[in-house]
Amino acid sequence: MLVAFANRPVKSPNLELADLIGPLSYALDLTEGQPKDHCIRCCYIGMALGRALGLPEAELADLFYTLLLKDLGCSSNAARICELFLADDIDFKQGFKTIDPGFNAALSFVFKRTGLKAGLSERIRALVKICREGERTTQDMISTRCHRGADIAAKLRFSSAVQEGIRSLDEHWNGKGQPFGLTGNDIPRASSIALLAQVVDVFHSEGGPGGVATELHKRRGSWFDPQLVDAFDALNASEGFWEMLASPDMPDWLLDTAPSIAGLPVDEEYLDDVAQAFSDVVDAKSPFTADHSNRVTLYADMISEELGLADNHRRWIRRAALLHDIGKLAVSNQVLDKPGKLDENEWKAVRLHPLISENILKRVPAFADMAQVAGAHHERLDGKGYPHGLAGDDIPLEARILTVADVFDALSAERPYRAAMPIEKALAILDEDTGTAFDGECVTALKRGLERLSQVIEQPKIASNQTIAA
Ligand SMILES: [Fe+2]
Ligand SMILES: [Fe+2]
């Protein structure tokens, strides 16, 4: 007998936009290998700069969300970084942000980090490839990241100012940035502030306030507008600036003082859009799991419908399905996309991802009640699953639904280590472990749902044949 985890409320509490987007930015910190609250700290730094410059309130509101969401597109280059540099994408990205500006430092970093775990001939092949194609591929990766981030911001219904702020994050004052090579004041101000805030936080996290000004002045007039660096110098010397940045109260204070954006209410429809947008961030990470979250959501909803769950409950499960793998943003694509068997450490990293999903969602008030369910999508009824080893009735119904949907998609979609499996074979594998790993009622509901779907797909064909025959 299945027992529903809880009855889901139709209405969400009255949530502020900042309380939703702020905590979710933690998922983006993980993709970039940055210490927790990197995006929140960048937001604090950039907003302090924006206020010091006397920007109008509407521009400050757009700046606030540009700063929080500057890394929305970053997951899209993870697989290609692994492939080109034979490196852990998360370590590579983290290290790359701390090198000196200029071509020589970038080249030296790439040579030092490429193929560290590869054999000599593989490493040489990779370096030759980088020399031949590296510049073009890197430009392509940056461009994809910028445009992808802007597109996801549009899905989140942010203004074109926020979208362009994210798109132009890597533009440099001297015109040598990406993706368009914009110069000077043609670069959106939010982008210039976000890039400067990023450099400040990265170097502050590495070595405290002491070295930050040096790093900014190295880039004054090349990466950054000299006036912006001068404005930061004044902040640098202002009382309490660094103390507040380091204070544990800062994130709450920052979100409490967020400028408001008119016409963007955090209602049920918006929460659906946010779950969808962040599932796009997750699915962009690996070509092998592209669209995985959407397909799991489709199968999970199919199962929920067959089990007769109420509409509001189904909606809640769809959101959990969209976000179940958000913890994968913290796992390197060297592991996720590995074609062979995983070693012990790699397997350990994979087993952590549901726990990371749980931890990310716990921080977001609107999604906190789905944290336990997302965190349990790799548990098994016999207690041999992970990360908690839950068994039987300790695994909520919603998590059992996600598990069946997730495994069915993993089996029926193409993976790095094998081709896609026919549906019948995937269902037969589910049958083998029904009762030990999978909930029998959920598996039966999936089969009924797939059957109904195939009938729906068949019917228009019959109808159109009849029309042609007539
Ligand atoms: Fe998973
Ligand atoms: Fe999954």
Side-chain angles (χ1 to χ4, degrees), residues 311-327:
D311 286 352
N312 61 324
H313 198 170
R314 281 173 59 189
R315 182 180 215 168
W316 186 93
I317 292 170
R318 285 198 297 273
R319 283 184 204 148
L322 284 168
L323 296 169
H324 75 283
D325 270 338
I326 196 167

Side-chain angles (χ1 to χ4, degrees), residues 164-215:
E164 294 316 309
I166 293 169
R167 196 188 312 278
S168 300
L169 177 69
D170 276 303
E171 298 288 0
H172 293 170
W173 183 252
N174 61 4
K176 292 186 177 173
Q178 301 280 338
F180 303 120
L182 300 177
T183 313
N185 290 324
D186 287 344
I187 303 168
R189 187 155 38 191
S191 312
S192 307
I193 294 176
L195 182 60
L196 187 141
Q198 177 175 290
V199 169
V200 171
D201 185 58
V202 166
F203 283 95
H204 178 254
S205 296
E206 285 275 307
V212 170
T214 316
E215 290 300 331

Side-chain angles (χ1 to χ4, degrees), residues 1-8 307 309 313 316-317 372-373 381 392-401 439 441-442:
M1 172 72 178
L2 295 173
V3 180
F5 177 52
N7 268 330
R8 298 295 148 200
L307 290 176
L309 302 186
H313 198 170
W316 186 93
I317 292 170
Q372 185 198 2
V373 164
L381 292 176
D393 287 344
D394 287 341
I395 304 172
L397 167 67
E398 293 88 341
R400 299 175 192 202
I401 292 172
D439 185 297
E441 292 189 44
C442 293

Side-chain angles (χ1 to χ4, degrees), residues 115-421:
L116 289 184
K117 290 183 187 164
L120 183 62
S121 58
E122 206 183 344
R123 186 159 191 251
I124 291 170
R125 250 199 317 274
L127 289 170
V128 169
K129 193 175 175 199
I130 290 166
C131 292
R132 223 186 273 145
E133 306 166 17
E135 195 179 345
R136 189 166 37 88
T137 310
T138 309
Q139 281 177 0
D140 197 32
M141 278 193 279
I142 294 173
S143 177
T144 305
R145 191 197 77 196
C146 296
H147 294 305
R148 178 102 194 172
D151 291 348
I152 297 175
K155 285 190 176 181
L156 287 166
R157 303 192 218 167
F158 283 106
S159 66
S160 56
V162 175
Q163 294 168 40
E164 294 316 309
I166 293 169
R167 196 188 312 278
S168 300
L169 177 69
D170 276 303
E171 298 288 0
H172 293 170
W173 183 252
N174 61 4
K176 292 186 177 173
Q178 301 280 338
F180 303 120
L182 300 177
T183 313
N185 290 324
D186 287 344
I187 303 168
R189 187 155 38 191
S191 312
S192 307
I193 294 176
L195 182 60
L196 187 141
Q198 177 175 290
V199 169
V200 171
D201 185 58
V202 166
F203 283 95
H204 178 254
S205 296
E206 285 275 307
V212 170
T214 316
E215 290 300 331
L216 292 189
H217 280 268
K218 269 186 206 168
R219 295 163 171 81
R220 188 178 184 274
S222 54
W223 284 30
F224 300 129
D225 173 359
Q227 283 185 356
L228 216 52
V229 176
D230 296 345
F232 186 81
D233 283 342
L235 267 185
N236 191 6
S238 67
E239 201 186 327
F241 174 75
W242 294 109
E243 288 76 8
M244 187 60 178
L245 179 68
S247 163
D249 298 331
M250 185 277 284
D252 284 343
W253 173 85
L254 181 82
L255 301 181
D256 287 347
T257 55
S260 61
I261 288 192
L264 199 46
V266 180
D267 55 15
E268 293 293 331
E269 285 69 31
Y270 191 65
L271 292 180
D272 290 342
D273 286 355
V274 171
Q276 180 69 60
F278 273 81
S279 81
D280 286 355
V281 178
V282 177
D283 285 355
K285 189 161 161 67
S286 165
F288 292 100
T289 49
D291 227 24
H292 168 69
S293 306
N294 275 325
R295 287 192 306 266
V296 171
T297 304
L298 172 74
Y299 301 136
D301 194 46
M302 210 179 254
I303 297 169
S304 305
E305 186 181 14
E306 292 297 332
L307 290 176
L309 302 186
D311 286 352
N312 61 324
H313 198 170
R314 281 173 59 189
R315 182 180 215 168
W316 186 93
I317 292 170
R318 285 198 297 273
R319 283 184 204 148
L322 284 168
L323 296 169
H324 75 283
D325 270 338
I326 196 167
K328 275 193 179 170
L329 290 173
V331 183
S332 166
N333 283 60
Q334 267 199 322
V335 176
L336 292 178
D337 298 346
K338 187 174 175 177
K341 203 166 176 269
L342 301 182
D343 68 27
E344 201 186 319
N345 284 335
E346 292 165 340
W347 184 227
K348 221 183 257 179
V350 167
R351 286 169 70 97
L352 270 181
H353 85 268
L355 193 61
I356 301 168
S357 292
E358 190 175 326
N359 289 337
I360 293 170
L361 296 177
K362 254 187 210 166
R363 294 165 58 96
V364 186
F367 296 147
D369 62 354
M370 59 180 68
Q372 185 198 2
V373 164
H377 76 270
H378 285 288
E379 300 290 0
R380 293 169 47 109
L381 292 176
D382 59 9
K384 292 181 180 167
Y386 61 89
H388 300 297
L390 300 178
D393 287 344
D394 287 341
I395 304 172
L397 167 67
E398 293 88 341
R400 299 175 192 202
I401 292 172
L402 290 193
T403 304
V404 170
D406 187 55
V407 172
F408 177 70
D409 183 61
L411 294 170
S412 57
E414 192 183 325
R415 284 292 158 109
Y417 40 85
R418 59 150 177 77
M421 210 177 263

